[in-house]
Amino acid sequence: MIELQTLICCEIISRDADTNKLILVNLFEPLEAEAFPLFLPNFSVLAHFLRADTDPENPTGTLSIKVGVTEVLAAPMNIDFKGKMNTRAIARIQGLIVTEPGIVSTTLRIEGGVEGSYSFTFKLRVPHIQVSST
Amino acid sequence: MNIPREINVEEIDLIYIVSNTPAYLFKRMRGSESVLWMASNLSTEKLVQLYTYLRSEEGNNNYPVSLSYATLIALSTKELSLATDTLKRLPLIGLDWGKQILSIANSQAVPTLTTDLKFTPPRQRSLIFGGSTSENTLTIPSSVRLKL
């Protein structure tokens, strides 16, 4: 059975062509924003899979991103083991709009029932007003 | 051919001497600063040139066989398709563990597939289910069009 070992969401994922190592920039963690809707210009998802000899080389994956209960993105994700026992899949979403404060959850499902998710919260920042008496 | 100063031949040779299996040699070499330097600073072409020189008669006489292994392992860190194609073409004459090293490198390589997705903002529910859509059509009089 295919195993989803890692699922991480961050702003930018860069792969070093020489060493094949990945650089992840700005992991998404609980965040606060001044106002909503909020536009995230870069949103990347990294998934790392392991498979056994009997598993298919090109399983079908579906990526889903929800803000609260609203699904804002659902798209197929290409997975190709290329004859190896492990593989990485990166999805780059060119701009994501977070319509309201809440939990942003990214879920990746692979045929055969494997599922993984990464969630973080967006809160509305309460403005701090300082009153000074003169 | 000059071996770059950053490559510590003694360190590489020491790793080779104490290695009793190809897997151990691979693991230790991958952690070696000299191999990391080679992987980061030398292009695939340069590494192939270096490897070819080291396996030539002159290179073989002047430098230890451990340096050939180090070059081979540095090559295995390059981008998957490039490294696989290059490594397949290299002659492994004189390297007893050459095939095993390539096999380990091949099993450790991780293919990476990138998908670019375009985000489409969700439509308003009223527009999807309510059926209350409107269109504005502007008709330009022929006189205006003629003036243009």
Side-chain angles (χ1 to χ4, degrees):
Chain A
M1 192 177 182
I2 292 171
E3 191 186 325
L4 176 58
Q5 211 180 38
T6 313
L7 185 72
I8 298 173
C9 297
C10 61
E11 274 194 13
I12 298 162
I13 299 172
S14 171
R15 188 178 61 81
D16 188 310
D18 280 342
T19 61
N20 200 25
K21 285 180 182 171
L22 296 179
I23 300 157
L24 278 68
V25 181
N26 287 348
L27 291 175
F28 284 113
E29 293 174 301
L31 294 164
E32 285 187 351
E34 297 282 350
F36 287 87
L38 185 75
F39 180 67
L40 303 173
N42 296 306
F43 192 95
S44 304
V45 181
L46 166 71
H48 182 225
F49 306 95
L50 295 176
R51 74 172 181 121
D53 288 331
T54 49
D55 291 322
E57 273 200 28
N58 298 292
T60 311
T62 310
L63 183 72
S64 159
I65 300 175
K66 279 184 180 178
V67 178
V69 291
T70 314
E71 188 173 63
V72 293
L73 187 133
M77 195 164 174
N78 297 329
I79 302 161
D80 191 351
F81 281 89
K82 294 185 178 173
K84 308 286 179 203
M85 303 314 285
N86 57 356
T87 190
R88 295 185 295 217
I90 296 169
R92 285 199 195 106
I93 296 124
Q94 294 158 359
L96 188 76
I97 295 171
V98 181
T99 48
E100 58 197 8
I103 298 169
V104 177
S105 62
T106 305
T107 310
L108 183 61
R109 288 182 196 87
I110 314 161
E111 57 182 7
V114 182
E115 190 178 305
S117 68
Y118 182 97
S119 304
F120 58 96
T121 49
F122 261 113
K123 281 183 186 171
L124 183 67
R125 183 180 294 159
V126 180
H128 179 73
I129 302 164
Q130 195 173 7
V131 180
S132 58
S133 56
T134 51
Chain B
M1 187 177 186
N2 290 326
I3 303 294
R5 281 181 201 168
E6 288 82 359
I7 301 172
N8 186 342
V9 182
E10 282 178 14
E11 180 213 6
I12 289 170
D13 215 21
L14 193 66
I15 293 171
Y16 178 69
I17 290 165
V18 298
S19 298
N20 53 357
T21 61
Y24 185 81
L25 177 71
F26 186 87
K27 191 181 163 190
R28 287 290 307 273
M29 285 269 191
R30 273 269 178 120
S32 145
E33 277 188 20
S34 297
V35 174
L36 285 175
W37 183 87
M38 286 161 87
S40 312
N41 295 284
L42 300 182
S43 66
T44 307
E45 291 77 28
K46 285 263 180 199
L47 285 171
V48 171
Q49 275 178 19
L50 180 63
Y51 178 82
T52 312
Y53 168 73
L54 289 168
R55 296 320 307 142
S56 70
E57 200 179 333
E58 190 194 331
N60 203 24
N61 290 335
N62 292 328
Y63 295 100
V65 73
S66 57
L67 206 51
S68 300
Y69 280 114
T71 315
L72 206 61
I73 291 164
L75 261 170
S76 73
T77 62
K78 297 290 179 184
E79 200 269 326
L80 183 71
S81 58
L82 194 68
T84 311
D85 292 346
T86 313
L87 290 171
K88 270 183 194 168
R89 289 200 305 268
L90 292 178
L92 299 170
I93 305 154
L95 299 182
D96 294 341
W97 286 351
K99 274 187 183 175
Q100 288 95 321
I101 293 288
L102 290 195
S103 170
I104 295 164
N106 197 36
S107 66
Q108 289 203 355
V110 187
T112 307
L113 205 69
T114 305
T115 313
D116 283 318
L117 301 170
K118 214 169 185 179
F119 172 72
T120 314
R123 286 186 289 167
Q124 293 293 321
R125 288 200 173 272
S126 60
L127 292 179
I128 301 166
F129 301 109
S132 57
T133 56
S134 64
E135 274 184 24
N136 289 320
T137 310
L138 178 69
T139 310
I140 302 169
S142 56
S143 55
V144 177
R145 271 190 255 162
L146 284 171
K147 279 177 191 171
L148 288 170

